[in-house]
Amino acid sequence: MIDDEEKSGLPVFLERRSYRRRRLHDAARLLPVLGLLGWMVPLLWSVDSAKAPASSNVLTYVFLVWAALISACFLISSRMSRNERANQDTEGGRDGQQ
């Protein structure tokens, strides 16, 4: 039996560039959720005064999560802008516009 995709002659898979662009956008959308989950982890730590971590350790953890979020945002945004520039260059080259 022949699939609809084989009948139409369209490729089964997405173009690599558009696939990566979509995954970068998905990662950018997921960062706030990951940050919230990362900041909620100290709430799961023990509340007992004998077992509780020092507040300096908790603040260090929160700061490290914050720094990791900033680094991830920087990496994702730089790759997204690089992909957009490459996409504009290839489209401009095809149309003869720059």
Side-chain angles (χ1 to χ4, degrees):
M1 188 169 201
I2 299 175
D3 292 338
D4 291 335
E5 294 168 348
E6 291 177 2
K7 287 181 198 175
S8 65
L10 296 174
V12 177
F13 298 104
L14 293 173
E15 183 182 354
R16 190 174 291 208
R17 183 177 294 152
S18 64
Y19 178 79
R20 287 181 182 167
R21 185 177 60 232
R22 288 180 183 185
R23 296 300 75 86
L24 282 173
H25 284 274
D26 291 343
R29 289 183 194 116
L30 190 62
L31 273 179
V33 175
L34 291 177
L36 181 63
L37 291 176
W39 278 338
M40 292 178 83
V41 168
L43 296 175
L44 301 174
W45 294 344
S46 179
V47 181
D48 295 337
S49 61
K51 296 179 182 180
S55 61
S56 61
N57 291 341
V58 174
L59 287 176
T60 302
Y61 173 80
V62 169
F63 176 74
L64 289 174
V65 169
W66 177 68
L69 285 172
I70 290 173
S71 300
C73 284
F74 175 75
L75 290 173
I76 289 173
S77 66
S78 65
R79 288 190 180 179
M80 286 173 69
S81 64
R82 188 181 334 146
N83 284 347
E84 289 299 321
R85 275 186 266 128
N87 192 23
Q88 288 175 354
D89 290 343
T90 57
E91 287 178 0
R94 273 189 262 148
D95 296 338
Q97 302 171 355
Q98 290 190 9

